[in-house]
Amino acid sequence: MRNLIFEETDVRAPEYASSHLRYAWESIRAPVIIPLLKLAVILCSTMSIMLFVERVVMATICAIVKVLGKKKYRKYNLDVMKQKLQRNKRYPKVLIQIPMYNEKEVYKLSIGAVCGLSWPSDRLIVQVLDDSTNPVLRELVELECHKWIKKGVNVKYETRRHRNGYKAGALKEGLEKQYVEDCEFVAIFDADFQPDADFLWNTIPYLLENPKLGLVQARWKFVNSEECMMTRLQEMSLDYHFTVEQEVGSSTYSFFGFNGTAGIWRIQAIKDAGGWKDRTTVEDMDLAVRASLQGWEFIFVGDVTVQNELPSTFKAYRYQQHRWSCGPANLFKKMTKEILFCKRVSLFKRLHLIYAFFFVRKIVAHWVTFFFYCIVIPACVIVPEVQLTKKIAIYIPAAITILNAISTPRSLHLLVCWILFENVMSLHRTKAAIIGLLEANRVNEWVVTEKLGNAKKQKNNARSPTSRISWFQILERIPIYNPFTLIKTIHPLEIIVGMYMLHCAIYDLLFGNDHFFVYLLLQAGAFFTMGFGLVGTVVPN
C-alpha cells in the first residue's frame, strides 16, 4: 500500500525550455486545476440558478400585474385628485433641487426645464446647488439663474467652498437652508434631466392622497438612445430596471431603490430616515433603504417620464458603472445587520431587502455574468474532464437573457450584441462589487458622469441634413496620426480577458467536439473592441 501511495510518477521534467509550460500545466492539472474548477462550477451553477429563479419570479409578478391591471399607481384616480387639488387650492410648497458639478453642456437645459414647471410661483422654490470648480462656469450658471429670477421664478443659487459629501453633501446642506423650513416636498433632478411642465401635477397628488407615501419615482426617457450602439444597449438594460425591477417593487413590496433623480420625496420621510449620508457612492439607495426601514412606502409611476441623457463615451460609462456597482455592495456590507434586526418592518420585507434586492441583484448578478460566463465556462473547454450540463451552460443563461431583453421589444434583434456587451461590462461591475465589499481603494471614488448635451446637438446639426447616420456606428474615427489618442484608449484588463477567451476558442476549434468556439470568438472580439476603446462616441478635445 505504501508503495502504491508514494509511487514515483512517470512524468519527468522536460529537457527543452519550450516544454516547461506544458510540464507545469500537466503537473497541476489533476491535483489542483480540476478540483478547483469543479468547485467553481458548483458555486457558479448555484448562483446562476438563484439568479434565474429571481428573474422568473419578477417576470411572473410583472406579467400578473400587467394583465390584471394591478399597478399600484393605477388604483388612484389621478384626474380626480388633480380636480380636488384645484378646487381646494391648498397647494403644498415644493422645493426643486438641481445638484450640478461643472455641467457646462447641460446646465441651461435642466434649469430651463425646471423653471418651466407648472405650479403656483409662490409655492415653488428652485434650488440650484452648484459645486462647480470652474469660476467661469459658476458665473454662467449664476447668470442663468438670474435670468429666470427676472421672469418671476423663485430661484436660489447656492454654492459651497468645498465638495464634502459630493452630491449627498450638497443635497443635505440645501435642505438645511432657512427658506426650506415650510416646504413639504422636494423633487430632485440631476443636471441633464428635463421634466415636462406637468411633472408636479402628475406626482404630488399621490403624496397628498396617501400620507404613508414617502417617494414618487418617475421613469427615465433617453434622448440619445440612438447616438451609438453603446447607448442603444444601455437602453435595454435600463428598460428592464424600470419595467420589471421597479414596477415589481412598487406593486408588491412598496419598496425599490431611489434612482437619485426624477423623483419627489416627502421631506418628513427624509428626516425620519436620518437625512442624506455620504458613507457610500449611492446616497440615493442608502436613503431609500433607511426610509423603508422607517415604514415609508414608495410608488413608481411608469406613465410619468423625464428626459435625460445616457453616457455615450466609454470612459464616462465605465465610471458610472463603477459607482453603481461598488456603492450597492458597500451599502450591503454596512446595512445588513441594521436591516436584519429592524423590527419596524415585516420579516418578509427584511429578507427581500437582504436576499433579493442586495445579494442576488447587486452581487450575484455581476459575479455570475463574469466568473461563470467569461472565466469558468471557457475554462471547461480546455479542461474537458469538467463537464457542464446544457441546462446550466446554455438554457438557464438563455432564459435569463430573454427575460432581461423583452423589456425593450424594438431592440430584440440586438440581443447577441447586448449579451457580449454586458459580459464585458461585468468585468468592471464584478471588480467594483468586490472593492465595495472589501472597502478597498476607490470604494468612495466619485466621478461625475460626463454629458455631451449641447455639444452633441451642435455636432449633429453641423452634419448635412440629407446624410443619415446609422446607430450601428460603434465609433467615430480616431485620428491615426496621433498615437497618444490610441494609447489612452487601451484597457489592459479587457485585452487580457480577450486573449484568454481567444485561446479557449482556438483550443475548442482544434480539439473540441462542439461549436462553443463560435461564442468564444465573438466574446473575445467584444473584449478586444472595448479593450482598445473602440466603442461609444469619441469626442475630440
Side-chain angles (χ1 to χ4, degrees):
M1 179 63 69
R2 185 176 181 275
N3 292 334
L4 287 174
I5 295 175
F6 294 100
E7 182 180 2
E8 293 185 3
T9 178
D10 291 335
V11 179
R12 298 181 180 180
E15 298 180 359
Y16 301 100
S18 60
S19 302
H20 283 178
L21 286 177
R22 180 175 179 82
Y23 170 71
W25 170 255
E26 293 298 336
S27 299
I28 64 173
R29 179 188 180 95
V32 179
I33 300 299
I34 293 177
L36 287 179
L37 189 56
K38 287 182 177 179
L39 178 61
V41 168
I42 294 173
L43 293 176
C44 289
S45 298
T46 302
M47 290 192 294
S48 185
I49 293 172
M50 291 167 60
L51 183 61
F52 170 72
V53 171
E54 195 265 347
R55 291 288 191 267
V56 170
V57 169
M58 285 205 299
T60 303
I61 295 174
C62 191
I64 293 174
V65 167
K66 188 172 183 179
V67 171
L68 299 181
K70 295 294 184 179
K71 292 184 179 181
K72 188 173 181 180
Y73 67 94
R74 293 280 174 83
K75 72 178 184 179
Y76 299 96
N77 191 322
L78 183 60
D79 292 332
V80 172
M81 292 190 296
K82 286 181 180 180
Q83 294 173 4
K84 180 180 178 181
L85 181 59
Q86 289 175 333
R87 285 197 307 267
N88 296 336
K89 297 188 181 300
R90 296 177 181 176
Y91 303 106
K93 198 166 187 179
V94 181
L95 173 70
I96 310 289
Q97 291 184 313
I98 312 175
M100 59 176 58
Y101 174 74
N102 293 336
E103 307 285 2
K104 178 182 178 182
E105 304 298 342
V106 294
Y107 74 91
K108 284 187 177 181
L109 299 176
S110 59
I111 295 176
V114 168
C115 290
L117 288 173
S118 173
W119 199 252
S121 58
D122 61 327
R123 309 300 294 169
L124 182 67
I125 301 176
V126 177
Q127 191 181 65
V128 178
L129 305 169
D130 189 10
D131 277 354
S132 299
T133 55
N134 186 330
V136 176
L137 184 55
R138 278 197 175 195
E139 291 182 9
L140 292 175
V141 176
E142 188 172 9
L143 286 173
E144 183 69 15
C145 292
H146 283 299
K147 184 183 78 173
W148 286 100
I149 291 174
K150 292 179 181 179
K151 294 182 179 181
V153 182
N154 187 4
V155 181
K156 304 292 184 181
Y157 178 69
E158 303 289 351
T159 61
R160 303 189 296 169
R161 295 181 179 179
H162 53 78
R163 285 193 70 208
N164 294 346
Y166 302 107
K167 179 180 175 181
L171 294 172
K172 180 180 179 180
E173 292 188 23
L175 287 177
E176 292 172 352
K177 301 298 180 182
Q178 188 174 2
Y179 56 80
V180 178
E181 291 180 356
D182 57 343
C183 290
E184 189 174 350
F185 306 114
V186 56
I188 303 168
F189 298 101
D190 284 349
D192 60 314
F193 278 72
Q194 306 162 52
D196 292 335
D198 59 354
F199 175 84
L200 296 179
W201 283 100
N202 292 330
T203 53
I204 287 180
Y206 295 104
L207 292 162
L208 295 176
E209 188 71 17
N210 185 359
K212 295 182 180 180
L213 203 60
L215 167 68
V216 176
Q217 175 70 60
R219 181 168 179 159
W220 297 0
K221 181 180 180 181
F222 312 110
V223 298
N224 65 331
S225 60
E226 298 193 12
E227 169 71 10
C228 59
M229 174 70 84
M230 192 180 76
T231 54
R232 189 69 179 266
L233 300 178
Q234 286 180 67
E235 180 190 39
M236 294 177 69
S237 300
L238 288 171
D239 277 350
Y240 176 82
H241 168 67
F242 288 107
T243 305
V244 179
E245 290 182 346
Q246 294 212 299
E247 189 62 68
V248 170
S250 175
S251 300
T252 55
Y253 316 106
S254 294
F255 169 78
F256 48 83
F258 174 46
N259 296 321
T261 180
I264 181 165
W265 278 91
R266 190 186 302 272
I267 293 181
Q268 187 59 49
I270 297 178
K271 292 179 180 179
D272 288 349
W276 292 100
K277 294 185 179 181
D278 59 356
R279 56 182 176 174
T280 69
T281 57
V282 284
E283 73 293 324
D284 44 11
M285 184 182 295
D286 187 354
L287 177 63
V289 173
R290 286 184 283 113
S292 176
L293 295 180
Q294 293 295 324
W296 289 100
E297 297 179 359
F298 306 155
I299 190 171
F300 170 69
V301 185
D303 291 342
V304 179
T305 60
V306 180
Q307 292 186 347
N308 73 293
E309 179 182 331
L310 291 165
S312 59
T313 65
F314 188 43
K315 177 182 177 181
Y317 187 61
R318 286 183 67 191
Y319 278 126
Q320 182 201 68
Q321 292 303 298
H322 173 84
R323 189 172 74 248
W324 286 7
S325 302
C326 179
N330 188 226
L331 184 63
F332 175 51
K333 178 181 180 181
K334 293 179 182 295
M335 291 206 67
T336 299
K337 186 176 180 180
E338 181 181 347
I339 295 170
L340 193 59
F341 292 100
C342 178
K343 301 300 182 182
R344 299 184 186 89
V345 296
S346 65
L347 177 62
F348 175 76
K349 191 169 185 177
R350 281 178 278 159
L351 293 178
H352 163 72
L353 271 172
I354 293 174
Y355 175 77
F357 182 76
F358 275 114
F359 184 62
V360 176
R361 298 183 201 172
K362 311 303 180 185
I363 308 295
V364 169
H366 303 324
W367 288 9
V368 165
T369 307
F370 177 64
F371 287 121
F372 196 31
Y373 304 154
C374 300
I375 301 297
V376 175
I377 292 180
C380 292
V381 171
I382 57 178
V383 185
E385 291 87 347
V386 181
Q387 296 183 350
L388 282 171
T389 62
K390 288 186 177 180
K391 291 181 180 179
I392 299 297
I394 299 176
Y395 299 149
I396 287 181
I400 293 174
T401 300
I402 293 172
L403 290 174
N404 277 270
I406 56 176
S407 300
T408 314
R410 75 186 189 100
S411 298
L412 285 177
H413 60 289
L414 298 177
L415 195 58
V416 173
C417 295
W418 181 78
I419 294 171
L420 300 177
F421 177 75
E422 286 294 301
N423 286 353
V424 177
M425 289 309 303
S426 69
L427 167 63
H428 297 286
R429 293 170 183 150
T430 300
K431 182 180 71 171
I434 293 174
I435 289 174
L437 289 174
L438 300 179
E439 294 192 322
N441 190 26
R442 294 186 65 195
V443 66
N444 290 319
E445 179 185 71
W446 182 282
V447 178
V448 176
T449 305
E450 178 188 16
K451 307 166 188 79
L452 300 184
N454 289 331
K456 176 171 64 66
K457 292 182 180 180
Q458 292 170 4
K459 178 188 67 176
N460 292 338
N461 292 337
R463 298 186 179 120
S464 171
T466 59
S467 63
R468 296 186 62 186
I469 302 298
S470 172
W471 50 263
F472 280 101
Q473 178 182 3
I474 298 180
L475 71 156
E476 295 185 3
R477 293 185 180 274
I478 302 176
I480 59 175
Y481 54 80
N482 185 355
F484 295 102
T485 303
L486 291 174
I487 292 174
K488 288 189 295 184
T489 60
I490 290 178
H491 306 291
L493 282 178
E494 284 93 333
I495 295 175
I496 291 172
V497 178
M499 292 174 64
Y500 163 71
M501 301 200 72
L502 180 60
H503 169 75
C504 296
I506 295 174
Y507 185 93
D508 188 63
L509 181 62
L510 296 176
F511 306 107
N513 297 319
D514 51 37
H515 296 85
F516 199 62
F517 65 87
V518 176
Y519 160 73
L520 293 174
L521 287 173
L522 290 173
Q523 192 63 71
F527 271 100
F528 286 133
T529 299
M530 299 174 73
F532 288 101
L534 304 178
V535 64
T537 299
V538 178
V539 180
N541 293 330

